[in-house]
Amino acid sequence: MKLLRSLLSALSMTMASTRLASFAGAIALIPTAALADYKLQPGDALEVSVPGIPDFRQRLQIGVDGEVNLALVGAVQVSGLSIQQAQEIIAGSLASKQYRQGTADGREITHLIQADQVFISVAEYRPIYVYGDVARPGEYIFRPGMTVRQAVAVAGGYSAAQVRIANPLMEAADFRSEYKALWAQFATEQARIWRLRTELGEEVEHVENVPVPEALAERLKQAAIAHIEARLSDSEKDKELLRRAVEQTSLQLELLSEKKKKDEEGSKADTDDYESVRTLLQKGLAPTTRLSEARRAVLMSSTQLLETIVQASNIERQRGEYVRQLNKIDSERQIAALGELQGAYMNLAQISARLEGTAQKLALTGQAQSTLLTAAGRPEMTVHRKREQGAETLPGSEDLGLAPGDVVEVVLPKADFAGAVAPSPRGSAVPN
């Protein structure tokens, strides 16, 4: 009898636990106001579990065909059903099915599934989409009870997409810094152009004033003057060395010219002496040794004259090279200055274009600051929702409840930026 009462008590507790679990499942399935009439759609994910069978838990993604692949059953059509209807169909499909559960010791336990034991919940709803004047448009996870205000928050908040300014105050500071740096570059290129044109012998009356500190403008001017003086000084040193080399070679040529005359006279005297000795030898009035000595003297004087001529020719060629280098110094300096001047003009044109763009950005940013701070009206929000009977457009508000798959469109009051574009930084970017 005691054993029978214990069994009945255990059975009563099991049935009570089962009813409690079913009641808890029913409470969990009660939808929020926004989901009261929600119908499951492809993209939703369900979770099926049987509390009495811990191993029986399955996550089911609803496919594009509206079906889920249920263990022990196969494909089940759930698209277009409410959560309660899906609960009834899935629970009815699993009713009286046997589930074999393996144990750690290798045994197998067979469970008979009852319909009231099956618990269905939505594991994940279809995402919502937010686009328009928000910081991060895109796809976001839906949470039950979600409102338009919360959707905008997860999308990064409102953003003036029409001007692409996340923080006008910070961007204005960046643009001002860039604007000043560009003017400093502009002034530097202007000073370089003035220096190069002065080196080329052009008359440059003045450099156009630019909005840079006076100290910087003065330093640039002094640096340009010092650069000119240094380059001219270096050029004059090279020219002076070449002039001295030309003078030395000219002096050597004069000495060799005198030496050549003497060598020619000596060679002629030796040649005349040789002819005289040969005539006397033919008459038998001179010995043979005297003729040999005269021949050696002619050879030596001829060789000396030839060496003098070759030496003079080499020095003359070297003198010509010095003169050519002397003449090239100015022309090469002019060619280099012209090439550098062309690059400076190109740099100045690019800086002018960047200055104009930055000035426009500054003007737009300043206009955006005042416009965004004083713009009247609230953001316009529209919710696009897909229902069984077709698409629906809802005039939204920040407190409107959302449903899975909703598309939220956000439009801020448009700012009028007409006339905000600044004029060109300078009418003439290049000094005259």
Side-chain angles (χ1 to χ4, degrees):
M1 274 311 273
K2 290 183 180 180
L3 179 58
L4 180 59
R5 283 197 299 270
S6 299
L7 290 173
L8 290 174
S9 177
L11 180 60
S12 176
M13 291 177 64
T14 301
M15 293 178 65
S17 299
T18 301
R19 287 194 298 270
L20 181 60
S22 298
F23 177 75
I27 292 299
L29 285 173
I30 295 176
T32 63
L35 298 176
D37 58 350
Y38 179 69
K39 306 297 183 182
L40 296 171
Q41 297 292 333
D44 292 331
L46 302 177
E47 185 173 271
V48 181
S49 62
V50 179
I53 310 175
D55 287 351
F56 192 96
R57 182 178 293 273
Q58 187 177 8
R59 183 186 176 96
L60 307 174
Q61 188 80 28
I62 302 177
V64 294
D65 55 0
E67 296 180 344
V68 294
N69 188 18
L70 183 62
L72 303 178
V73 176
V76 177
Q77 180 68 237
V78 295
S79 179
L81 302 179
S82 67
I83 300 174
Q84 184 61 41
Q85 290 171 333
Q87 162 84 24
E88 295 173 357
I89 290 178
I90 292 176
S93 300
L94 288 173
S96 303
K97 300 291 185 183
Q98 292 185 352
Y99 178 75
R100 294 179 175 83
Q101 177 185 1
T103 62
D105 57 3
R107 293 183 301 108
E108 188 177 84
I109 301 176
T110 301
H111 297 273
L112 184 64
I113 301 176
Q114 301 296 326
D116 58 356
Q117 294 178 319
V118 179
F119 176 64
I120 308 296
S121 64
V122 179
E124 183 177 334
Y125 289 96
R126 287 178 296 150
I128 61 168
Y129 301 87
V130 185
Y131 77 99
D133 293 335
V134 291
R136 296 186 300 275
E139 172 187 307
Y140 293 95
I141 297 174
F142 172 81
R143 304 294 184 191
M146 197 173 198
T147 64
V148 171
R149 187 194 308 276
Q150 292 167 335
V152 171
V154 298
Y158 299 115
S159 174
Q162 66 270 22
V163 291
R164 303 296 181 196
I165 296 179
N167 189 330
L169 297 176
M170 294 185 65
E171 290 203 358
D174 293 339
F175 290 148
R176 280 194 295 270
S177 175
E178 182 181 358
Y179 192 68
K180 291 180 180 179
L182 286 172
W183 272 122
Q185 295 178 27
F186 189 95
T188 302
E189 289 300 318
Q190 270 200 334
R192 184 157 73 113
I193 289 173
W194 176 85
R195 169 179 62 80
L196 292 169
R197 293 179 64 181
T198 302
E199 286 186 25
L200 290 171
E202 298 182 24
E203 292 293 334
V204 185
E205 295 182 358
H206 67 279
V207 176
E208 184 180 3
N209 292 327
V210 294
V212 296
E214 293 184 4
L216 175 60
E218 183 63 24
R219 284 198 298 270
L220 290 174
K221 179 181 178 181
Q222 295 302 323
I225 294 174
H227 197 158
I228 293 174
E229 293 175 350
R231 290 188 64 165
L232 291 177
S233 175
D234 187 62
S235 177
E236 284 300 321
K237 288 180 181 178
D238 291 340
K239 291 167 71 173
E240 181 62 26
L241 289 174
L242 289 172
R243 291 192 191 100
R244 291 181 182 178
V246 171
E247 291 177 358
Q248 291 177 357
T249 52
S250 297
L251 180 60
Q252 289 177 350
L253 285 175
E254 292 178 3
L255 295 175
L256 287 173
S257 178
E258 294 294 329
K259 186 175 183 298
K260 179 183 175 184
K261 291 180 181 179
K262 293 179 180 179
D263 289 344
E264 288 175 345
E265 293 174 356
S267 177
K268 185 177 182 305
D270 290 339
T271 301
D272 292 344
D273 183 59
Y274 173 75
E275 292 296 333
S276 176
V277 171
R278 191 176 65 167
T279 301
L280 292 174
L281 180 63
Q282 290 175 352
K283 296 178 178 181
L285 299 177
T288 305
T289 55
R290 179 70 180 86
L291 183 63
S292 298
E293 291 175 356
R295 184 183 294 112
R296 281 196 298 273
V298 169
L299 289 174
M300 289 180 62
S301 59
S302 299
T303 301
Q304 185 174 346
L305 176 60
L306 181 61
E307 289 176 351
T308 301
I309 293 173
V310 171
Q311 187 177 4
S313 177
N314 290 338
I315 292 177
E316 181 67 30
R317 186 166 54 253
Q318 184 65 53
R319 181 178 179 277
E321 180 65 22
Y322 289 152
V323 172
R324 188 181 68 83
Q325 292 180 10
L326 182 61
N327 294 332
K328 280 181 61 178
I329 287 179
D330 290 334
S331 61
E332 288 180 345
R333 184 167 57 84
Q334 287 182 348
I335 292 172
L338 286 171
E340 189 177 352
L341 184 61
Q342 183 179 11
Y345 277 127
M346 291 181 62
N347 290 342
L348 197 65
Q350 293 175 357
I351 294 172
S352 297
R354 292 171 60 191
L355 269 170
E356 184 174 354
T358 305
Q360 292 177 0
K361 291 178 183 177
L362 268 174
L364 285 171
T365 306
Q367 183 74 6
Q369 291 179 35
S370 59
T371 304
L372 293 177
L373 292 174
T374 60
R378 300 292 300 169
E380 295 181 8
M381 285 164 287
T382 306
V383 176
H384 305 276
R385 180 172 298 169
K386 184 178 180 182
R387 295 184 180 274
E388 289 183 281
Q389 57 271 28
E392 182 182 10
T393 301
L394 305 174
S397 68
E398 291 182 333
D399 297 322
L400 176 67
L402 295 176
D406 280 353
V407 178
V408 181
E409 178 184 3
V410 180
V411 179
L412 289 177
K414 299 299 181 183
D416 182 11
F417 296 104
V421 177
S424 174
R426 273 292 184 271
S428 173
V430 178
N432 295 320

